[in-house]
Amino acid sequence: MNRLTLERRQVWIYLSAIIGGLLVGSVWPGIAPYFEMLLWPVLVCLLYVTFAQVPLLHLREAFRDHRFVAAMLVGNFIALPLLAWALIQWLPADAAIRLGVLLVLLVPCTDWFITFSQLGGGNVPGAIAVTPLNLLLQLLLLPVYLWLMLGTHLAITLSFTEIWPALLVVIVPLIAAVVSERWIEARPARVKLRERLAWWSVPLLALVVFLIAGAQVNAVSEALSLFPVIVPLFVAFLLLAALIAKGLARWMVLPTDQGRTLAFSLGTRNSFVVLPLALLLPAGWEIAAVVVIVQSLVELFGMAFYLWWVPRKLFR
């Protein structure tokens, strides 16, 4: 099996991991604290492997194609935040649910959208070049977006003393990935190491969702009644994101392959970068982490639809 085949089957791998985690957590409820302890080192490893695939030292290359970069920035950091804000107006007036939705919809993907761009006939070099810019801007702008859209609810919920462990979970693997990239690029023979690391993304992510499902059985049970509300919202986001990509590609006069890449970028979100923050929310806010997981599953099924719709209908 090659890596592309593994990534094509990742939806079913993650779904099986979630079901397995729920079963284990239901049969042995006392295992939840152990799953929670194990989750953090696994999540750090997952983020390191994810960041290691991003060309963090090549930010300058992202600016070579001005129209493509402009479309990416306008789509991911202006149009989609406005869309996310509009969509949460249809949600119940529950700050935890709205925070979970905003956390995941405000951050563009930096890893598997490249794979989907490749499978969907997109511009893979362009996708790779723009990922460090997307990652940097989302880390800088996410607090601003949340403050603007949630205001006092966010101030009451989050304080630096509560979120600094989550920030470390993101920052430590990010720094490690930068150091690794410099070490790998020092010698061409070391590039194979990065390719081997890429194989670990799917197994590690499956282990993360297994541990979360096992540790959060009660939160998942409580969230089942919300699925008819949040799942259609995430489906609507996927459809509208692709149409926004179509409009931006036409406005910026992008070639077809770049338009496809733009659609996959706008449709995919960086759910497992914001997951540490969702997991460290105070008691009573556990639903936010469940919302993030639900979005990632809806997105993966949505990408199966995108792989048909984007190259065959939207950007022919």
Side-chain angles (χ1 to χ4, degrees), residues 29-197:
I31 207 170
Y34 301 101
F35 274 18
E36 290 175 357
M37 286 190 295
L38 185 59
L39 172 63
W40 295 106
V42 175
L43 193 52
V44 167
C45 292
L46 171 63
L47 291 176
Y48 168 71
V49 168
T50 300
F51 293 148
Q53 309 309 310
V54 178
L56 297 167
L57 299 179
H58 299 274
L59 188 60
R60 187 180 302 175
E61 295 178 7
F63 295 96
R64 289 182 177 175
D65 192 326
H66 301 297
R67 287 183 302 173
F68 178 59
V69 173
M72 279 281 190
L73 296 183
V74 171
N76 276 314
F77 299 105
I78 297 177
L80 291 193
L82 290 173
L83 174 61
W85 177 83
L87 288 174
I88 66 168
Q89 307 310 313
W90 298 92
L91 289 173
D94 185 314
I97 299 171
R98 293 189 174 197
L99 177 58
V101 170
L102 288 176
L103 275 174
V104 72
L105 293 189
L106 291 173
V107 288
C109 183
T110 56
D111 48 10
W112 62 33
F113 102 90
I114 298 172
T115 300
F116 291 122
S117 295
Q118 181 179 6
L119 294 171
N123 187 303
V124 177
I128 294 172
V130 82
T131 49
L133 184 60
N134 276 342
L135 180 61
L136 176 64
L137 287 177
Q138 68 185 255
L139 294 176
L140 294 175
L141 293 176
L142 179 61
V144 178
Y145 290 141
L146 292 177
W147 178 77
L148 288 173
M149 296 181 192
L150 292 180
T152 55
H153 288 298
L154 183 65
I156 293 170
T157 304
L158 298 178
S159 66
F160 182 76
T161 55
E162 291 175 326
I163 67 171
W164 72 264
L167 296 178
L168 284 179
V169 168
V170 176
I171 292 171
V172 169
L174 182 61
I175 294 172
V178 172
V179 174
S180 297
E181 183 176 357
R182 187 174 294 277
W183 181 80
I184 288 171
E185 293 188 354
R187 293 185 182 179
R190 295 173 179 170
V191 174
K192 291 183 179 180
L193 177 61
R194 179 184 290 156
E195 295 173 0
R196 291 173 184 169
L197 284 173

Side-chain angles (χ1 to χ4, degrees), residues 197-302:
L197 284 173
W199 276 87
W200 285 94
S201 295
V202 174
L204 283 172
L205 185 47
L207 181 55
V208 164
V209 296
F210 171 80
L211 294 172
I212 291 173
Q216 302 286 340
V217 171
N218 293 333
V220 173
S221 300
E222 293 173 5
L224 288 176
S225 61
L226 294 172
F227 282 22
V229 177
I230 59 175
V231 170
L233 181 145
F234 291 140
V235 171
F237 178 86
L238 283 167
L239 295 174
L240 292 172
L243 295 177
I244 289 171
K246 179 68 174 179
L248 284 172
R250 184 172 295 176
W251 178 36
M252 299 288 184
V253 198
L254 298 181
T256 300
D257 62 339
Q258 288 187 350
R260 292 171 179 172
T261 300
L262 181 62
F264 284 109
S265 177
L266 300 193
T268 52
R269 305 286 89 192
N270 226 355
S271 53
F272 294 98
V273 170
V274 296
L275 185 59
L277 183 58
L279 289 170
L280 281 175
L281 290 171
W285 292 71
E286 295 86 355
I287 190 67
V290 177
V291 169
V292 172
I293 297 293
V294 170
Q295 186 279 334
S296 65
L297 284 176
V298 173
E299 178 182 297
L300 284 167
F301 282 104

